[in-house]
Amino acid sequence: QQLPYLDSVEFRFIPESEAMVAAFRQGDVQVMEVPPVPETVDALMTLEPFGARVDVIPGPVWEHLNFQFGPGSLTMNPATVNANLDYRRAVAYLIDRNAVAAAVDKYTQSVSSYVDLFSPALSQHAWDQYPHNPRRAQQLLAKVKAVEGIETITAVFSTTSNGDARIRVSEALRPMFEAVGIEYQTQLQDSRLFFGETLETGSWDVGMWSWVGSPGFASLVTIHDAWDPEAPPPSGSNYYRWGTEDSSVRDEHTERYAEIRDAMNATVDDRELTSLIHEAEDILAGQMVMLPLNASPVVGAVWADQVAGYIPNPSQAGHTWNVEQWYRADL
């Protein structure tokens, strides 16, 4: 079918959100990548009855809750029980990921696997095995107390204090931890300290920060370096110290994960890579090394009655990734 494809595309750079919305409302701009600010998205949503389409999809930036397995965790929480798998699984069960996402803003969405942010088709949604279940968390915590010989479990949560979103998350987590009897404390830090000394030395107990996904096998393989037992900082990016020489957890799972990581970097066979990625995802979720929480939204707006073929792209490829397929819908 012959379609009226575009003759040209003009790019405009509008620095202020209000001016962007005004330009779109007036028809000066037909397609727009929108800052994921709720007020801006809300304003654009009011234009949908008049022919606009606003797409809000999970973007590549994803937050995760994680545990420190190195000796540095003792500096933040001398009573840490991060090495206990039942404790880590209890934390997964006690967290309502949808509520955490809602605490950021109404357009942020929870995620069930880091693989979703790289290649959704390969994801097994492995963290779906931990639905919000405070009762199950309490059962596991009772086992932890019996095994560890303790009466109280304390969790110290660390993240950056720059920006409201992570502060809101830290407070949203408080009632979830306290509801199952965990003493919950926060230690928020300036981002320069957190992403500097704190990460390098592993001086946190339970932490949160983001990674950035991008499409393709290469990026998906690379993210697995973050939990490589053979690559602690400063030479590697396993800031969690899971399975490293000074880790509180070194077992057959960390050993196998290191083998998987090496195998990923030694093959270009798609089927073999898929199998290895699935196994790595299973280990990270089964051992509850970390918990994917939510992905920052990516927002696109288009006057769909004028331009067709536009498909928002959450990756670093940007919203014009298929611009050669756009065409006039009003001709």
Side-chain angles (χ1 to χ4, degrees):
Q1 179 182 1
Q2 184 65 39
L3 297 173
Y5 284 92
L6 306 182
D7 293 324
S8 63
V9 177
E10 178 181 325
F11 289 84
R12 295 186 180 180
F13 299 90
I14 306 174
E16 298 180 354
S17 296
E18 291 185 5
M20 291 178 67
V21 174
F24 187 77
R25 181 184 291 113
Q26 295 164 9
D28 296 334
V29 175
Q30 287 75 45
V31 181
M32 186 166 61
E33 183 174 354
V34 185
V37 178
E39 294 77 13
T40 301
V41 181
D42 288 344
L44 291 170
M45 290 287 190
T46 65
L47 301 176
E48 288 196 323
F50 306 102
R53 191 186 85 221
V54 182
D55 296 305
V56 182
I57 58 178
V61 180
W62 56 284
E63 300 276 357
H64 69 302
L65 180 139
N66 55 74
F67 305 90
Q68 174 56 238
F69 298 95
S73 62
L74 297 172
T75 64
M76 186 60 67
N77 181 9
T80 183
V81 288
N82 286 350
N84 191 302
L85 177 57
D86 284 328
Y87 167 68
R88 302 196 302 275
R89 288 175 174 168
V91 170
Y93 281 117
L94 69 87
I95 292 177
D96 183 342
R97 280 174 282 160
N98 290 331
V100 170
V104 178
D105 62 56
K106 62 183 178 181
Y107 293 112
T108 296
Q109 300 179 31
S110 62
V111 295
S112 57
S113 174
Y114 64 98
V115 181
D116 288 334
L117 288 311
F118 294 85
S119 184
L122 296 181
S123 176
Q124 302 175 107
H125 308 287
W127 279 263
D128 279 344
Q129 65 185 283
Y130 303 111
H132 182 223
N133 190 338
R135 183 176 180 181
R136 178 57 179 153
Q138 288 176 317
Q139 293 171 342
L140 290 170
L141 292 172
K143 290 175 59 179
V144 174
K145 291 177 181 179
V147 169
E148 302 290 339
I150 55 178
E151 296 182 359
T152 303
I153 296 176
T154 301
V156 181
F157 178 78
S158 296
T159 190
T160 61
S161 59
N162 307 76
D164 295 336
R166 286 177 178 156
I167 296 175
R168 288 196 294 269
V169 169
S170 72
E171 289 308 308
L173 291 173
R174 180 180 299 280
M176 300 178 194
F177 277 81
E178 293 179 345
V180 297
I182 295 177
E183 182 180 312
Y184 179 83
Q185 302 174 13
T186 58
Q187 183 68 38
L188 306 184
Q189 300 177 349
D190 181 85
S191 59
R192 290 173 295 180
L193 173 61
F194 185 80
F195 290 117
E197 180 180 343
T198 297
L199 285 193
E200 288 295 324
T201 60
S203 301
W204 80 89
D205 180 34
V206 179
M208 185 184 81
W209 70 84
S210 63
W211 291 110
V212 180
S214 56
F217 273 118
S219 299
L220 184 52
V221 167
T222 299
I223 189 60
H224 290 92
D225 291 350
W227 304 281
D228 183 5
E230 299 173 347
S235 57
S237 55
N238 183 359
Y239 299 108
Y240 320 89
R241 272 81 173 174
W242 179 64
T244 59
E245 290 186 358
D246 59 352
S247 177
S248 59
V249 175
R250 298 186 72 191
D251 54 25
E252 68 275 14
H253 301 289
T254 60
E255 182 178 345
R256 176 55 187 158
Y257 185 90
E259 294 173 350
I260 292 171
R261 185 265 173 193
D262 291 343
M264 285 182 185
N265 285 274
T267 182
V268 294
D269 183 275
D270 287 359
R271 289 180 297 179
E272 185 177 359
L273 281 170
T274 298
S275 177
L276 292 169
I277 289 166
H278 286 171
E279 188 177 358
E281 182 185 10
D282 285 340
I283 292 175
L284 292 172
Q287 296 302 298
M288 248 309 291
V289 180
M290 57 89 181
L291 179 69
L293 291 175
N294 54 70
S296 300
V298 167
V299 185
V302 59
W303 283 109
D305 58 347
Q306 299 177 40
V307 177
Y310 166 73
I311 302 174
N313 191 325
S315 77
Q316 296 174 348
H319 287 237
T320 57
W321 67 284
N322 72 330
V323 67
E324 72 279 3
Q325 298 177 11
W326 297 2
Y327 61 94
R328 293 290 299 270
D330 54 352
L331 295 178

